[in-house]
């Protein structure tokens, strides 16, 4: 292995370009480790876990792989578009998937299948983000997952990684069409509220604004 000194750049991720020209984001070794360690800590990932990764290797897939390497877990890579929903569920059930992270749409689709309870029988935690999660989603997840499984909701961006996260308490109920809160600011992030388009002082704006928490 070559000698590495300092805090080198070890990866570049590009944004989707939805806001204009795609931007290349350079990640240093310490930043990658911090993001992976936060993911591992939030879900308590350990050597007995089997992680299903359906994400691109340029983004979430790297997090799944590096999380497994960090703690000695096993990661199973699948291309959902190639293998399809049925094969994905078969692999989950036969190989005993314990953890998976994906957008709400994919989780809804997987959990709406007839054999979903069997496929998710060993799952102890799901993590979702990238889109709004609704109360009816939480009801569906709870109906399919084992009773002690964790449901984690997250929000962030390509530029920041996960910023907000929340392990939804099992006793917390939601209206079916109500959006689930994004959660609390993660330990490796800070959030600033800017009111540059308000025309007034930020402190005045905050005093007039109700800030809600989960």
């Amino acid at each position: 292995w070559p000698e590495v000194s300092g805090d080198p750049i070890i990866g570049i991720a590009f944004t989707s370009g939805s806001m204009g020209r795609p931007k290349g984001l350079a990640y240093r070794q310490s930043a990658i480790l911090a993001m992976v360690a936060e993911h591992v800590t939030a879900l308590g990932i350990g050597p007995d876990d089997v992680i299903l990764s359906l994400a691109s290797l340029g983004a979430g897939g790297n997090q799944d792989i590096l999380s497994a390497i960090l703690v000695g877990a096993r990661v199973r890579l699948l291309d959902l578009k190639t293998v399809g929903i049925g094969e994905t569920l078969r692999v989950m059930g036969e190989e005993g998937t314990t953890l998976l992270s994906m957008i709400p749409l994919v989780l809804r689709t997987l959990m709406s299948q007839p054999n979903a309870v069997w496929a998710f029988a060993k799952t102890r935690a799901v993590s979702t983000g990238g889109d709004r999660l609704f109360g009816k989603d939480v009801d569906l997840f709870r109906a399919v997952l084992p009773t002690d499984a964790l449901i984690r909701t997250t929000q962030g961006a390509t530029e920041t990684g996960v910023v907000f996260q929340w392990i939804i308490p099992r006793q917390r109920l939601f209206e079916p069409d109500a959006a689930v809160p994004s959660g609390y600011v993660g330990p490796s992030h800070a959030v600033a509220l800017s009111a540059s388009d308000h025309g007034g002082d930020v402190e005045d704006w905050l005093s007039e604004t109700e800030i809600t928490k989960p």
Side-chain angles (χ1 to χ4, degrees):
W1 292 90
E3 292 292 331
V4 177
S5 60
D7 191 14
I9 292 173
I10 63 170
I12 298 176
F14 282 86
T15 61
S16 65
S18 59
M19 302 297 291
R21 185 179 180 183
K23 301 184 293 292
L25 310 167
Y27 288 95
R28 295 195 177 276
Q29 180 174 278
S30 60
I32 294 290
L33 180 60
M35 287 189 290
V36 173
E38 187 170 309
H39 179 68
V40 168
T41 301
L43 297 177
I45 303 175
D48 294 330
D49 280 311
V50 179
I51 304 170
L52 175 68
S53 181
L54 302 179
S56 163
L57 294 183
N62 275 331
Q63 177 175 267
D64 293 332
I65 292 171
L66 293 174
S67 296
I69 291 174
L70 188 65
V71 300
R74 179 181 169 221
V75 63
R76 182 66 157 86
L77 305 178
L78 279 181
D79 182 346
L80 180 61
K81 292 181 180 180
T82 300
V83 303
I85 295 295
E87 176 65 8
T88 298
L89 291 170
R90 184 194 67 78
V91 170
M92 288 178 59
E94 292 186 359
E95 301 190 14
T97 296
T98 62
L99 294 169
L100 58 162
S101 303
M102 54 193 62
I103 62 174
L105 175 61
V106 176
L107 279 175
R108 286 183 207 121
T109 303
L110 290 173
M111 292 195 187
S112 298
Q113 305 306 309
N115 59 338
V117 172
W118 169 77
F120 283 88
K122 299 293 184 181
T123 304
R124 65 170 192 80
V126 295
S127 182
T128 185
D131 200 356
R132 285 183 295 178
L133 188 70
F134 294 98
K136 55 191 172 187
D137 297 322
V138 175
D139 291 340
L140 172 63
F141 296 176
R142 286 172 173 165
V144 171
L145 293 169
T147 55
D148 58 347
L150 302 178
I151 301 172
R152 177 188 182 223
T153 178
T154 69
Q155 287 295 339
T158 305
E159 294 88 340
T160 62
V162 171
V163 177
F164 299 93
Q165 60 175 319
W166 189 32
I167 303 292
I168 302 174
R170 295 187 181 92
Q171 70 275 14
R172 182 66 184 265
L173 302 177
F174 304 93
E175 291 296 326
D177 294 323
V180 176
S182 297
Y184 299 94
V185 178
S188 62
H189 290 84
V191 173
L193 296 176
S194 172
S196 59
D197 60 345
H198 176 65
D201 186 77
V202 172
E203 283 74 16
D204 292 339
W205 178 77
L206 286 175
S207 68
E208 300 168 358
T209 304
E210 181 182 359
I211 306 298
T212 58
K213 295 181 178 180

